[in-house]
């Protein structure tokens, strides 16, 4: 995050979800809900001390997660199973209220694998 090397996020996020014990999610369907993935990432990012805004509201809607670190702002949109989260960020322009170096990050999660199935990003 300090260097803006967003490509390094994907394997870190995949390892994070791969390390969650399967028995923590058995006998329930939590993996089908976006909030599960968002909460895990929120807790992870909170532990490293970056500024986090969950459900960051703009004039056009809200982005799932905004992170601010070292003059950079990262916008995360999550989907479960399918969808185009990066396209949603572009279309809704959630980033317009911020200036500086900005990164759009779209993540799709697969509830069967309980992990990332699609990771896209771009710098604007």
């Amino acid at each position: 995050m300090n260097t803006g090397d967003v490509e390094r996020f994907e394997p870190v996020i995949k390892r994070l979800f791969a390390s969650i014990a399967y028995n923590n999610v058995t006998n329930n369907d939590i993996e089908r809900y976006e909030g599960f993935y968002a909460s895990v990432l929120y807790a992870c990012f909170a532990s490293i001390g970056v500024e986090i805004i969950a459900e960051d509201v703009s004039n056009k809607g809200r982005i799932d997660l905004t992170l601010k670190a070292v003059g950079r702002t990262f916008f995360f949109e999550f989907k479960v199973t399918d969808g185009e989260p990066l396209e949603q960020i572009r279309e809704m322009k959630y980033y317009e209220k911020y200036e500086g170096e900005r990164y759009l990050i779209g993540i799709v999660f697969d509830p069967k694998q309980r992990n990332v199935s699609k990771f896209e990003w771009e710098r604007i």
Side-chain angles (χ1 to χ4, degrees):
M1 294 182 70
N2 291 340
T3 64
D5 189 358
V6 178
E7 288 182 14
R8 292 178 59 193
F9 277 175
E10 183 177 10
V12 170
I13 291 170
K14 284 183 175 181
R15 283 193 305 271
L16 172 66
F17 284 100
S19 68
I20 296 173
Y22 81 94
N23 54 337
N24 289 353
V25 294
T26 54
N27 298 322
N28 64 58
D29 57 358
I30 195 170
E31 71 276 355
R32 295 185 319 148
Y33 298 99
E34 186 179 297
F36 163 67
Y37 302 98
S39 296
V40 169
L41 288 174
Y42 183 96
C44 177
F45 291 131
S47 74
I48 61 172
V50 296
E51 183 180 345
I52 307 166
I53 306 166
E55 301 294 331
D56 189 5
V57 179
S58 77
N59 62 327
K60 296 181 181 177
R62 61 180 175 240
I63 185 82
D64 291 328
L65 199 61
T66 299
L67 304 179
K68 294 178 169 186
V70 193
R72 294 177 179 88
T73 308
F74 302 86
F75 305 93
F76 289 83
E77 184 65 31
F78 309 122
K79 300 288 180 200
V80 177
T81 305
D82 59 6
E84 295 296 329
L86 198 60
E87 182 59 34
Q88 180 178 331
I89 301 170
R90 285 189 211 109
E91 182 180 311
M92 301 304 280
K93 299 181 181 179
Y94 298 129
Y95 52 83
E96 283 187 322
K97 69 181 188 176
Y98 295 96
E99 59 184 8
E101 199 171 312
R102 296 169 290 178
Y103 296 85
L104 315 181
I105 303 168
I107 302 175
V108 178
F109 294 95
D110 178 336
K112 291 179 183 173
Q113 296 297 317
R114 293 187 296 275
N115 213 320
V116 174
S117 63
K118 184 177 184 181
F119 184 97
E120 299 179 300
W121 70 277
E122 69 181 50
R123 180 181 170 185
I124 57 168

